[in-house]
Amino acid sequence: MKKTMLGNYAASWGAQLSRVQVISAYPITPQTLIVEKLSEIVADGKLDAKFIKVESEHSAMSGCIGASATGVRAYTATSAQGLALMHEMLHWAALARLPIVMTNVNRAMAPGWSIWADQNDSLSQRDTGWMQIYASSSQDILDSTILAYKVSEKLLLPTFITFDAFFLSHTLEVVDMPPIEDIDKFLPPYNPEYKLDVNDPRSFGALTSEEHYYEFRYKMQKAMEDAIPVIKEAGRGYEKLTGRYYDLIHPYRCEDADLVLVTSGTIAETTNVAVDELRKEGKKVGNLKIRIIRPYPKEDVLRIIQKCKKIAVIDRNISCGYHGIFAQELKSALYNEKEIPVWGYIIGLGGRDVKIEDIKDIADETLKNDTPKDLIWKGVKL
């Protein structure tokens, strides 16, 4: 069934189709509509779930952790300062190996106060042990929520799906909603081997000495490494169900590209249009959309860019004191593997619009120059 809906509602419907059992949430712009819709769905009896209203995002994640530890499917949503307030509990959820799924609507961090898109909020949480998905359409948001539970519950790792504020959260797109009967077959009820159970008492999260903590981290890293084939397998299963395949990366016209643009989020969709126009001008340019940054799809990225002559990474984020974070990740993947020059562009921070002309300008600038630069700001007004 196809419906026209906001990106935020695609997240709500994704949680409903996944039959989440506990929603623990605190509203924050621009995420608020997600949990408002879910509260209506639960109140109307359309979803058999507990909706827990809490006083902060720290408590929202704490509620999810407690719920997930009892073996139920838990969900929450947040954005920017709210995600930052969860930071302590993000580590706790990951190291406790709880398959919580969360939506984070990408929003610039304050000050100055902003409610518009950039990726510094989610990328600040790269090292907490959560898998991170960067959705670029409302369909991607809904499907990724379902897929996230499928993968998280197999690996016992949490996942968040993140997408650009207002460019997706508050815009309407047509979304194909799979029948819930099909999703029930794809995503059966979660029933972990170990859980809080009054009839089978266990201890979780107790003091751990140096004899064991090191191994916790090792097993978490192994689970992240195992995630790559699990994500691909889940994507193929979902494709059989819906006809839509989701991988860790999505290359577009990269086969013979001299220049590969590396993008994420909604900028990736704009870049596909720019690539088509550049191709009509005779310029061999492709677009490599990074959909998942944790685990990092190193082997897939190297396979796609192996024949190109130049790479330009377009970051809607900045690691101040260094440069764009997706650019850092790509250079790390290239080191000791490939010698391809990389240009790093910063654009669109705080929700500044990124147009097709901006992408074409970046491509032209990179094609004309032979000396790569780590940090190139586009559109700064001084």
Side-chain angles (χ1 to χ4, degrees), residues 80-81 84 107-115 118 120 318 320 349-350:
Q81 314 296 133
R107 169 184 140 181
M109 298 295 291
W113 275 111
S114 171
I115 56 171
D118 79 37
N120 279 293
I318 175 71
C320 287
L349 302 186

Side-chain angles (χ1 to χ4, degrees), residues 37 56 89 110 120 123 140 160-161 200 211 227 229 243 246 255 267 301:
K37 174 60 73 177
S56 75
M89 305 316 291
N120 279 293
L123 290 169
D140 192 351
F160 64 71
I161 303 106
D200 183 19
E211 290 297 314
Y246 292 93
E255 298 84 359
I267 289 178
V301 169

Side-chain angles (χ1 to χ4, degrees), residues 18 33 46 90 104 112 119 129 132 139 153 161 191 195 243 250 259 261 271-272 308 312 322-323 338 357:
S18 301
L33 293 174
K46 296 176 182 175
L90 295 182
N104 178 68
Q119 299 169 328
Q132 292 197 15
Q139 186 71 64
E153 290 172 4
I161 303 106
N191 185 26
K195 58 188 177 185
H250 285 254
L259 168 63
L261 304 171
T271 301
N272 282 346
C308 76
Y322 202 25
H323 47 80
K338 302 281 182 185
E357 292 74 22

Side-chain angles (χ1 to χ4, degrees), residues 41-273:
I41 290 170
V42 173
D44 291 344
K46 296 176 182 175
L47 176 65
D48 184 15
K50 298 289 186 185
F51 190 98
I52 307 172
K53 294 178 287 185
V54 293
E55 82 287 358
S56 75
E57 286 86 353
H58 188 281
S59 297
M61 183 49 60
S62 300
C64 284
I65 288 169
S68 185
T70 68
V72 304
R73 197 166 278 160
Y75 175 84
T76 190
T78 191
S79 183
Q81 314 296 133
L83 183 66
L85 188 55
M86 287 179 177
H87 178 74
E88 176 194 359
M89 305 316 291
L90 295 182
H91 279 285
W92 192 276
L95 272 166
R97 306 294 299 273
L98 299 171
I100 298 162
V101 171
M102 172 168 63
T103 302
N104 178 68
V105 183
N106 273 139
R107 169 184 140 181
M109 298 295 291
W113 275 111
S114 171
I115 56 171
W116 291 278
D118 79 37
Q119 299 169 328
N120 279 293
D121 58 346
S122 55
L123 290 169
S124 297
Q125 308 298 337
R126 265 182 309 173
D127 301 329
T128 54
W130 283 62
M131 294 184 281
Q132 292 197 15
I133 299 173
Y134 287 76
S136 61
S137 70
S138 294
Q139 186 71 64
D140 192 351
I141 296 167
L142 182 141
D143 293 334
S144 291
T145 305
I146 298 164
L147 281 162
Y149 280 109
K150 184 77 172 180
V151 173
S152 284
E153 290 172 4
K154 184 160 187 175
L155 297 163
L156 298 180
L157 285 174
T159 303
F160 64 71
I161 303 106
T162 191
F163 55 88
D164 292 339
F166 296 99
F167 295 117
L168 271 183
S169 64
H170 287 67
T171 54
L172 291 163
E173 286 185 342
V174 175
V175 175
D176 184 12
M177 295 178 59
I180 195 162
E181 297 79 12
D182 289 350
I183 300 303
D184 285 344
K185 294 175 186 173
F186 179 77
L187 187 65
Y190 174 53
N191 185 26
E193 182 178 358
Y194 302 108
K195 58 188 177 185
L196 288 172
D197 183 348
V198 294
N199 296 314
D200 183 19
R202 297 173 185 271
S203 175
F204 292 84
L207 180 67
T208 306
S209 73
E210 67 276 18
E211 290 297 314
H212 299 101
Y213 183 89
Y214 189 39
E215 283 68 27
F216 286 172
R217 280 290 187 187
Y218 174 79
K219 289 181 178 179
M220 199 167 139
Q221 169 64 15
K222 295 299 292 180
M224 276 283 184
E225 293 170 7
D226 293 342
I228 290 178
V230 171
I231 291 167
K232 291 177 180 289
E233 181 185 7
R236 287 190 290 270
Y238 200 71
E239 184 181 26
K240 289 179 183 176
L241 195 70
T242 65
R244 297 183 292 275
Y245 178 66
Y246 292 93
D247 209 331
L248 290 93
I249 61 171
H250 285 254
Y252 181 70
R253 304 188 77 167
C254 290
E255 298 84 359
D256 61 342
D258 291 331
L259 168 63
V260 170
L261 304 171
V262 177
T263 59
S264 62
T266 53
I267 289 178
E269 301 299 319
T270 306
T271 301
N272 282 346
V273 179

